[in-house]
Amino acid sequence: MSSPTSRRRRDRAPGPSAGRQGLPQPRRTPQPPPAPPSTRQVTGWLTRRPASLTEDEHQQLKAVLGGCPELATAHQLVRDIGDMLTQRTGALLPAWIDDAVAADLPGLTGAALDEATFPVDTRNS
């Protein structure tokens, strides 16, 4: 049997959640996760030249594209056709059409098939 003195010490001993003077410590609330980027932000990242994005925007775009393989494929196809247009490398168009059809993405597949139906003369490119 325990003595009254040892019982008092045990009752006064601070527990794991007690502070220096036996008072409970305030609970730390976890920080909420950051809000997802808006549609407008993501659209801006997708349509701007990669060189104009900040490092933070590159990282956020990478995270968005990593979460949606279809969007990543569409992004790459749009970048590729944009490069063809700005660099005037139309000879690459047939391969791009094949890639777009293989991706089977709504919108891009239809545009690629329309282009395949009405081929463009790429001999002067």
Side-chain angles (χ1 to χ4, degrees), residues 45-124:
W45 300 335
L46 292 170
T47 57
R48 290 190 347 235
R49 294 180 186 270
S52 71
L53 298 175
T54 65
E55 184 59 35
D56 185 50
E57 290 170 333
H58 273 291
Q59 294 305 316
Q60 290 182 65
L61 176 58
K62 186 177 178 181
V64 168
L65 295 177
C68 183
E70 295 85 1
L71 184 59
T73 301
H75 178 250
Q76 187 58 54
L77 287 167
V78 169
R79 285 273 177 243
D80 291 346
I81 193 104
D83 289 344
M84 277 188 271
L85 292 171
T86 57
Q87 297 171 11
R88 298 181 181 211
T89 54
L92 301 175
L93 187 59
W96 181 89
I97 291 171
D98 292 342
D99 291 344
V101 170
D104 195 29
L105 295 172
L108 285 176
T109 301
L113 289 174
D114 288 345
E115 189 59 44
T117 305
F118 303 102
V120 175
D121 183 5
T122 59
R123 290 176 288 179
N124 294 329

Side-chain angles (χ1 to χ4, degrees), residues 30-47:
Q31 292 294 326
S38 69
T39 302
R40 184 179 192 141
Q41 284 175 306
V42 174
T43 301
W45 300 335
L46 292 170
T47 57

